Amino acid sequence: MTKKVFNRILFGGDYNPNQWPKEVWQEDMRIFKNAKINSATINVFSWAKIQPSETDYYFDELDEVIEMLTEENYDIVLATSTAALPAWMFKKYPEVARTDFEGRHHKFGQRHNACPNSLVYQKYAEKLAGKLAERYGANPRVTCWHINNEYGGECYCDNCEKAFRVWVKNRYQTIEALNKAWNLEFWGHTIYEWDEIVLPNALGEGIDYDNTAFAGISIDYRRFNSDGLLNNFKMEREAIRRYDKATPITTNLMGTYKTLDYFKWAKEMDIVSWDSYPSYNTPWSYVALTHDLMRSLKKEPFMLMEQTPSQQNWQPYNSLKKPGQMRAQSYQTVAHGADTIQYFQLRRSVGACEKFHGAVIEHVGTEDTRVFRETAQLGTELAAFGDSLLGAKNESRVAILFDWENYWALEYTSGPNKDLKYVDQIHQYYRYFYDKNIAVDFVCSEEDLSAYSLVVAPVFYMVKEGVKESIEAFVQAGGTFVTGFMSGIVGESDNVHLGGYPGPLRQLAGVWVEEIDALAPEQTNSIQFIAGKEGTSRLLCDIIHPETAEVLANYTSNFYAQTPVVTKNSFGEGTVYYIGTELDADSLDYCLEQAVLSADVHAVLDEHTPLEVVLRQTDTEKFYFVMNFHEETQKLPAAFVGKSDQLTGQVLTEATQLSQYDTFVIKA
Ligand code: GLA
Ligand code: ZN
């Protein structure tokens, strides 16, 4: 079923008229109209203006902004401003600041700087959210609430330490259970009282952000921190709901951002929104991955809350988007499930660190720029075709397992190979499906798998309680499951599943992994498939004993030459592939090809094409997005000959070609 949250595609973005004199506001309205901008995200960083002191609130300016946007019939995305605290709050209550990983307690400065467990911060954030909802919640032009901004980071202050002890006690109930879960007998770190627990930063068990002496403690700290920030979100949400029962509430997420368990967060949000900032060299498959991940959090359309119309300021090399690139990138976002296209920001800052960040209106102050013309073209196209697409679904029979706790645990391991990175591994598998135009969802460990016929779980290191049963049931019923090295190793507290790797997945995969070899970047092993194909192996190499599995490929070098590296096992009605190393792309494709055949999964289009083709569908209509992200011109797939492009009305023929960034949307 199509789920519509908005009545039109929101097209706009972060707008900060509070940083500009009033004369500019009217000029903004005039210029934005020419780009068909219909939405503005306001009040993201205005706490200091709205609450200039502990007792005073001042809404006059925001009233005027909202009045102006209401008159212009904008969809207002109203932020709560709690992501940057006013200076007076730090001066009077230094506890609102964070203590960082090194143990330094911060002063006023930066943003995203509140201690999530500070009662003072909580009190004033809640009050502000409530006041905003009371004042503006009934305005029908307020279309969406935007709580805070890009929640993230960590705090290691004394307040957080106390809150952590309470959280830990709640989770483990007894000191004995805690000592066991964290394996504190190791190095004689056994504790006897709850107040002996300290936060795992550089003053405790932490070494740096990704290294710790006790992963069990550090993973629990991450759970606690993600939950703590989520409680801040929920608190503001409840404050808004006291006055406004219906307007959707979101906060902007950041793709594969490590610190927050976004699957858990999404359950508390009415709609997922996120900020997409690929770099000049980010592969398009990776950009697509992040959109699919964000859509998958709720398996519903999402908001693109921010992208730049041209360049960023905060990356090492802030390249311009080439002509047509922003358009293509925007349609790719819509193709993967976005119902909004919003920019950061609508007018470029005059000062501070974002003055080199692109915007719809550049420093020249007029609409006579390339960036504006491209924005206006997109706005005009979206206004013409957009609404029929709202709420359309992306259907998929393939799921890739992406689990934040697994992400944390995998990257905390001391050994076997420091180059093992979770998202990079996920991307290697995702890229195959992207290249083949096979639609993919992401799932977390706890999710019901019955909607899928193929589930891929790369580096599925942490297998939590109950998960083995769910995967076994999926395969038993005929599903195809792909996993491999560094899987099934630990449970939820990072203690090893004893009895041979891959622990709970051993029977399922039909293999026992006796040892794991690590290869340095300059080292590779060679492999050969039984069918003849040769390939290479990198990073980590499982030394495998097949138990019930059939061998598909063996190593052909090193002391474990002639032992298996890829296997296939029958389990119930289904099939399990085990890939015991990081394969070269061609060999990985070869394995996944077989998994796709065994799962009877199909591409969006029968014809193979280097173009990206994505299908979104409503209850009655199908929209094919056809995009060329290659430098070389590509020919139109035969299936689309004779159709017309919804964006330009162009009738597509056998002679139609797509240059780089050309995009068609075809209705079927
Ligand atoms: C983030 C923030 C914005 C802005 C942009 C710049 O996404 O949410 O406030 O700083 O980055 O790219
Ligand atoms: Zn704190």
Side-chain angles (χ1 to χ4, degrees):
M1 275 286 288
T2 309
K3 186 176 168 187
K4 271 194 200 188
V5 176
F6 304 117
N7 294 325
R8 55 184 177 184
I9 288 208
L10 304 195
F11 186 64
D14 277 42
Y15 180 45
N16 299 300
N18 49 303
Q19 295 172 12
W20 295 90
K22 294 255 174 65
E23 310 82 80
V24 177
W25 301 10
Q26 285 314 318
E27 180 64 353
D28 287 341
M29 291 298 103
R30 184 190 68 76
I31 295 179
F32 295 156
K33 205 166 276 166
N34 295 332
K36 300 277 189 296
I37 282 175
N38 62 23
S39 170
T41 305
I42 55 170
N43 200 42
V44 183
F45 294 106
S46 305
W47 196 345
K49 184 162 264 170
I50 295 180
Q51 195 182 356
S53 74
E54 191 165 8
T55 47
D56 297 325
Y57 285 85
Y58 161 84
F59 289 102
D60 296 8
E61 187 186 64
L62 187 56
D63 284 351
E64 278 184 67
V65 173
I66 289 186
E67 208 171 293
M68 173 178 77
L69 296 173
T70 301
E71 263 164 33
E72 300 278 342
N73 198 34
Y74 270 53
D75 280 305
I76 300 169
V77 178
L78 186 52
T80 58
S81 262
T82 52
L85 278 48
W88 61 259
M89 211 186 282
F90 289 89
K91 189 167 82 178
K92 179 143 190 218
Y93 304 104
E95 59 143 293
V96 299
R98 287 184 181 178
T99 299
D100 65 20
F101 190 82
E102 277 71 40
R104 299 172 301 193
H105 192 68
H106 283 222
K107 298 184 178 182
F108 176 55
Q110 306 287 336
R111 59 176 176 172
H112 308 135
N113 47 4
C115 164
N117 290 297
S118 155
L119 297 179
V120 174
Y121 164 66
Q122 291 178 6
K123 173 178 155 192
Y124 286 113
E126 186 186 27
K127 200 163 165 191
L128 180 57
K131 277 185 181 288
L132 289 164
E134 184 180 21
R135 199 170 184 94
Y136 305 113
N139 179 338
R141 299 297 342 134
V142 173
T143 309
C144 184
W145 286 98
H146 172 306
I147 292 181
N148 203 281
N149 187 68
E150 295 191 334
Y151 274 106
E154 291 162 344
C155 182
Y156 296 92
C157 75
D158 293 346
N159 268 336
C160 285
E161 194 158 75
K162 286 186 196 128
F164 183 55
R165 288 172 187 156
V166 173
W167 185 94
V168 168
K169 193 169 174 188
N170 226 352
R171 184 174 171 95
Y172 295 103
Q173 307 288 326
T174 67
I175 292 270
E176 293 67 38
L178 173 68
N179 277 310
K180 187 159 179 255
W182 288 354
N183 197 36
L184 294 180
E185 191 62 30
F186 180 72
W187 288 352
H189 283 203
T190 307
I191 63 165
Y192 296 92
E193 306 276 353
W194 295 104
D195 64 3
E196 289 162 11
I197 296 171
V198 299
L199 291 176
N201 68 348
L203 309 179
E205 303 291 5
I207 298 162
D208 56 38
Y209 186 70
D210 286 320
N211 292 287
T212 172
F214 284 82
I217 305 180
S218 295
I219 292 164
D220 271 342
Y221 171 74
R222 288 226 162 119
R223 290 178 174 130
F224 156 80
N225 181 58
S226 176
D227 287 358
L229 288 162
L230 182 55
N231 286 337
N232 291 168
F233 170 83
K234 293 198 296 203
M235 178 193 73
E236 287 196 41
R237 185 192 64 193
E238 294 320 309
I240 292 169
R241 283 286 173 253
R242 280 200 281 280
Y243 301 98
D244 176 356
K245 300 277 175 253
T247 308
I249 299 179
T250 191
T251 181
N252 46 347
L253 309 182
M254 296 179 280
T256 58
Y257 178 66
K258 186 171 172 181
T259 305
L260 304 181
D261 183 346
Y262 282 156
F263 274 105
K264 224 170 162 182
W265 275 67
K267 292 201 177 86
E268 306 295 337
M269 297 161 61
D270 295 323
I271 183 167
V272 165
S273 67
W274 91 281
D275 302 343
S276 172
Y277 289 105
S279 312
Y280 74 98
N281 59 355
T282 305
W284 289 101
S285 54
Y286 182 82
V287 185
L289 178 162
T290 46
H291 293 312
D292 281 348
L293 179 62
M294 294 294 95
R295 185 196 67 248
S296 296
L297 297 177
K298 288 184 94 68
K299 311 282 179 304
E300 281 169 9
F302 60 88
M303 301 169 75
L304 178 74
M305 186 64 87
E306 294 180 22
Q307 71 171 351
T308 173
S310 54
Q311 65 198 145
Q312 290 89 4
N313 65 286
W314 47 267
Q315 293 178 349
Y317 309 103
N318 299 285
S319 310
L320 290 173
K321 288 178 179 164
K322 298 186 176 64
Q325 182 177 347
M326 189 274 289
R327 176 178 184 264
Q329 188 178 327
S330 301
Y331 285 117
Q332 186 195 37
T333 309
V334 174
H336 287 271
D339 274 0
T340 77
I341 293 290
Q342 297 158 271
Y343 299 101
F344 185 89
Q345 57 180 332
L346 296 189
R347 187 182 266 276
R348 196 189 269 240
S349 301
V350 70
C353 63
E354 287 176 351
K355 64 180 177 298
F356 280 120
H357 195 288
V360 171
I361 302 177
E362 299 282 18
H363 283 151
V364 66
T366 69
E367 59 265 65
D368 191 17
T369 62
R370 177 182 72 92
V371 169
F372 186 84
R373 283 189 292 276
E374 292 195 30
T375 307
Q377 183 196 344
L378 180 64
T380 308
E381 286 174 2
L382 287 174
F385 110 101
D387 301 356
S388 57
L389 181 92
L390 282 175
K393 282 271 201 195
N394 295 67
E395 306 272 354
S396 164
R397 294 186 59 226
V398 179
I400 297 180
L401 210 136
F402 192 105
D403 189 294
W404 261 268
E405 296 184 337
N406 187 68
Y407 189 175
W408 301 334
L410 184 81
E411 295 192 354
Y412 270 138
T413 60
S414 178
N417 191 324
K418 76 171 187 58
D419 294 339
L420 177 60
K421 293 283 173 265
Y422 188 52
V423 176
D424 174 43
Q425 292 299 320
I426 297 287
H427 179 234
Q428 291 186 32
Y429 283 74
Y430 178 89
R431 193 221 18 97
Y432 164 81
F433 297 100
Y434 175 85
D435 285 349
K436 293 281 183 295
N437 289 316
I438 297 174
V440 169
D441 274 350
F442 287 93
V443 291
C444 66
S445 296
E446 290 78 16
E447 222 156 311
D448 176 19
L449 303 174
S450 56
Y452 304 102
S453 52
L454 172 59
V455 173
V456 183
V459 286
F460 186 25
Y461 173 70
M462 177 185 276
V463 177
K464 293 172 257 184
E465 235 178 274
V467 173
K468 161 189 152 88
E469 291 71 19
S470 135
I471 296 170
E472 284 187 353
F474 164 77
V475 179
Q476 204 107 46
T480 301
F481 183 65
V482 179
T483 189
F485 67 97
M486 285 301 268
S487 294
I489 311 267
V490 300
E492 54 202 57
S493 294
D494 199 59
N495 293 318
V496 168
H497 289 295
L498 298 176
Y501 314 135
L505 308 177
R506 179 169 172 179
Q507 226 193 330
L508 199 67
V511 297
W512 167 43
V513 175
E514 185 180 345
E515 294 181 273
I516 307 168
D517 196 11
L519 303 185
E522 68 276 14
Q523 298 177 313
T524 54
N525 280 332
S526 53
I527 67 152
Q528 185 167 28
F529 287 87
I530 302 297
K533 182 181 171 51
E534 294 178 0
T536 36
S537 137
R538 300 177 295 231
L539 196 74
L540 289 167
C541 304
D542 281 351
I543 302 182
I544 297 173
H545 299 276
E547 294 179 323
T548 52
E550 171 194 340
V551 178
L552 298 185
N554 287 306
Y555 295 103
T556 52
S557 59
N558 219 320
F559 74 90
Y560 37 91
Q562 309 318 323
T563 71
V565 57
V566 181
T567 64
K568 174 182 170 182
N569 194 39
S570 297
F571 188 92
E573 301 287 301
T575 310
V576 178
Y577 291 85
Y578 187 93
I579 302 174
T581 189
E582 182 182 276
L583 290 172
D584 63 281
D586 212 44
S587 302
L588 182 59
D589 287 3
Y590 183 78
C591 295
L592 292 175
E593 196 75 63
Q594 297 182 41
V596 158
L597 279 175
S598 114
D600 196 26
V601 163
H602 298 276
V604 166
L605 201 68
D606 285 340
E607 185 178 341
H608 180 69
T609 166
L611 297 166
E612 182 178 339
V613 184
V614 182
L615 172 62
R616 260 189 94 175
Q617 39 193 331
T618 64
D619 301 337
T620 50
E621 282 176 319
K622 288 183 171 182
F623 297 87
Y624 288 91
F625 289 76
V626 184
M627 297 157 280
N628 183 12
F629 288 112
H630 299 275
E631 275 174 30
E632 306 76 33
T633 297
Q634 307 292 340
K635 77 186 236 302
L636 183 77
F640 300 128
V641 170
K643 311 269 186 206
S644 62
D645 171 26
Q646 297 298 304
L647 302 174
T648 59
Q650 182 191 344
V651 177
L652 309 175
T653 68
E654 261 175 39
T656 305
Q657 307 243 338
L658 289 90
S659 311
Q660 188 179 24
Y661 302 132
D662 277 355
T663 298
F664 298 137
V665 179
I666 295 154
K667 235 200 264 192

